[in-house]
Amino acid sequence: MILELRRYTLHEGRRDELIDLFDREFVHPQEDLGMAVLGQFRDLDRPDQFVWLRGFTDMASRRTGLSAFYSGPVWAEHGPAANATMVDSDDVLLLREIKPVPVFDRDAADHDSILYATIWYWAGPFPDPAEIPTDTLAVLRAEYAANDFPRLPVREGEHALVWLARSPLRADIPAEVVKTETFRLRPTHRSSLY
């Protein structure tokens, strides 16, 4: 599966406004078009950040789904309100699953859980990890296919490996890692990853 890890910077104090709108209006319409809304989160250390994961069967289905959604009636009606909350929506990594993102019952979300995301960056393409700690929920690596939906930019030239877990990553950082980012994420009411 192809995934987008999307991190939005929002105008101060407007995160809950976007989350309410997103969870109410954008989850099911995207899934009805064949996309997987895998998780929506508040960044616990960055009060004006909204983080979410969206998945696609492949790059062709990504282009088809995004074209249908962003030219469709739901985005036409609610997109302006969503965009009004945002300072930046272009911080996006295009990824491919190594260990797939689990999907849980959206209606049973544990709103008090915390998901830990760790991103390692290398100077070149990432090898698959030799070992995956047992408490790791998912592992994702950079997808190098060209972004064929330029209306939504993605970060290009990034060599990233993303770990998602219920606790801080317990793995030795390889010497080749040039940068590490960590996030503590709390799921929204409608997140299927929690």
Side-chain angles (χ1 to χ4, degrees):
M1 180 178 276
I2 301 294
L3 290 98
E4 296 170 341
L5 174 59
R6 308 189 65 85
R7 295 185 286 174
Y8 295 170
T9 301
L10 308 177
H11 292 289
E12 185 176 349
R14 299 195 68 185
R15 180 167 66 184
D16 286 340
E17 178 185 344
L18 176 62
I19 287 172
D20 290 344
L21 177 65
F22 191 100
D23 282 358
R24 185 180 67 245
E25 302 294 346
F26 295 153
V27 173
H28 288 300
Q30 290 183 83
E31 291 183 337
D32 290 345
L33 293 169
M35 297 175 276
V37 179
L38 298 168
Q40 308 92 256
F41 308 95
R42 290 172 174 87
D43 184 324
L44 293 177
D45 300 308
R46 298 163 187 89
D48 297 321
Q49 292 275 312
F50 172 64
V51 179
W52 65 293
L53 285 165
R54 175 167 53 192
F56 312 88
T57 304
D58 52 31
M59 290 299 291
S61 68
R62 176 179 180 267
R63 183 181 60 250
T64 300
L66 294 177
S67 296
F69 181 72
Y70 289 103
S71 64
V74 171
W75 186 252
E77 181 178 351
H78 301 289
N83 284 336
T85 68
M86 300 177 198
V87 174
D88 176 45
S89 62
D90 294 346
D91 188 352
V92 181
L93 288 174
L94 193 59
L95 304 164
R96 178 176 294 277
E97 291 178 317
I98 295 174
K99 179 177 181 180
V101 174
V103 177
F104 303 113
D105 179 2
R106 184 173 273 126
D107 296 322
D110 178 357
H111 310 301
D112 294 324
S113 67
I114 297 176
L115 183 73
Y116 292 83
T118 302
I119 307 175
W120 289 347
Y121 297 93
W122 282 32
F126 240 106
D128 288 350
E131 293 183 27
I132 297 176
T134 56
D135 65 345
T136 302
L137 294 170
V139 181
L140 316 168
R141 65 180 301 177
E143 168 58 46
Y144 297 107
N147 178 19
D148 56 3
F149 194 76
R151 181 174 168 187
L152 294 183
V154 299
R155 289 164 47 188
E156 297 183 3
E158 299 278 356
H159 305 290
L161 187 71
V162 179
W163 304 82
L164 301 175
R166 294 201 189 282
S167 59
L169 180 63
R170 294 183 184 103
D172 293 329
I173 300 175
E176 297 86 358
V177 171
V178 296
K179 178 180 160 187
T180 300
E181 290 183 286
T182 58
F183 306 90
R184 293 182 316 127
L185 305 173
R186 174 150 291 144
T188 71
H189 179 70
R190 300 288 293 145
S191 182
S192 64
L193 180 59
Y194 47 86

